[in-house]
Amino acid sequence: GIQVEQSPPDLILQEGANSTLRCNFSDSVNNLQWFHQNPWGQLINLFYIPSGTKQNGRLSATTVATERYSLLYISSSQTTDSGVYFCAVERKYSSNTGKLIFGQGTTLQVKP
Amino acid sequence: EPEVTQTPSHQVTQMGQEVILRCVPISNHLYFYWYRQILGQKVEFLVSFYNNEISEKSEIFDDQFSVERPDGSNFTLKIRSTKLEDSAMYFCASSEMAVYNEQFFGPGTRLTVL
């Protein structure tokens, strides 16, 4: 099956700093989504981005599908950005059932 | 903004008991999913469901699990005889289409099996 690797596994930032989270995947994808898991365990949709670049406030994401990676940028980080960030993909030419495969996540801690 | 809802938010049960986790997907969505996350681990796919049929299930989704769309709005996951290792957060998700389509996740049900 498709492999999804996220880096770094852990990241500690000072409030106001910028960061880049990476997601590598081993095969072509139909779907790629970024999620933020908050301290209550909820998965918050950040981006649906199988290719291209999107921005939403202080967050932006870029997926280079031909090179099989995606980047999530967080600028001017805030303590509320803390949590786990997951990348999830659906492999292309799979059963087309929508099955998402998640990476292991990046745990971000933003210190005041 | 439409959202996926799940009930209950937290369920505690005794080993061997049956539990039913409930989800209300977004109303115009046709594809439904269950995922689970054991504490401290990544999110894992359990099952996808379309047109009142399972379209794909994982190795985790064995005979003790079943899914149902009992009416036009609810989507349920039943675990017949719970085990300690079923303790996890269970997420329901839905999408309009299966491919090239964003999946929207509910807030999750935390299941604790004692």
Side-chain angles (χ1 to χ4, degrees):
Chain A
I2 191 170
Q3 305 300 312
V4 182
E5 295 182 358
Q6 292 187 241
S7 59
D10 301 282
L11 187 58
I12 300 175
L13 297 176
Q14 212 55 42
E15 198 168 27
N18 302 329
S19 63
T20 301
L21 282 58
R22 187 177 181 103
C23 173
N24 292 332
F25 42 96
S26 60
D27 206 341
S28 299
V29 298
N30 289 326
N31 181 0
L32 189 146
Q33 294 185 231
W34 282 98
F35 298 89
H36 175 215
Q37 187 163 41
N38 65 22
W40 297 271
Q42 296 175 336
L43 285 172
I44 309 301
N45 285 41
L46 296 178
F47 294 102
Y48 165 71
I49 188 165
S51 63
T53 297
K54 290 186 178 180
Q55 180 154 6
N56 184 4
R58 296 181 296 103
L59 303 182
S60 64
T62 295
T63 297
V64 183
T66 52
E67 296 187 22
R68 298 181 185 167
Y69 72 89
S70 183
L71 302 174
L72 177 68
Y73 304 97
I74 305 174
S75 64
S76 303
S77 58
Q78 301 175 357
T79 55
T80 51
D81 295 331
S82 296
V84 184
Y85 289 81
F86 288 104
C87 165
V89 304
E90 182 196 5
R91 189 173 71 89
K92 210 172 203 177
Y93 313 123
S94 65
S95 47
N96 289 337
T97 58
K99 171 183 175 181
L100 285 178
I101 303 298
F102 281 72
Q104 293 281 4
T106 291
T107 300
L108 174 64
Q109 183 183 1
V110 181
K111 294 187 171 183
Chain B
E1 185 176 324
E3 58 183 15
V4 177
T5 59
Q6 291 186 242
T7 54
S9 56
H10 192 188
Q11 172 112 32
V12 180
T13 189
Q14 295 291 324
M15 190 170 55
Q17 295 296 304
E18 175 183 286
V19 295
I20 298 176
L21 310 183
R22 291 182 166 81
C23 168
V24 178
I26 294 173
S27 62
N28 65 328
H29 286 184
L30 301 176
Y31 293 81
F32 314 116
Y33 315 88
W34 284 100
Y35 295 83
R36 82 170 186 189
Q37 183 184 30
I38 294 171
L39 186 64
Q41 298 186 21
K42 66 178 181 180
V43 180
E44 301 172 290
F45 170 81
L46 287 178
V47 65
S48 59
F49 189 87
Y50 168 69
N51 199 26
N52 281 320
E53 288 185 349
I54 290 174
S55 43
E56 185 171 359
K57 59 183 181 179
S58 72
E59 295 169 353
I60 304 167
F61 194 90
D62 60 22
D63 291 344
Q64 69 161 343
F65 291 93
S66 61
V67 290
E68 189 179 29
R69 190 156 163 81
D71 53 43
S73 58
N74 290 284
F75 180 50
T76 61
L77 174 69
K78 181 192 289 185
I79 309 175
R80 288 193 185 81
S81 178
T82 50
K83 304 172 189 170
L84 295 177
E85 54 264 37
D86 293 328
S87 294
M89 181 77 101
Y90 289 82
F91 294 102
C92 172
S94 70
S95 62
E96 285 186 60
M97 303 295 292
V99 296
Y100 294 108
N101 227 241
E102 185 174 5
Q103 288 185 28
F104 293 86
F105 280 67
T109 293
R110 186 171 299 281
L111 176 65
T112 302
V113 182
L114 302 176

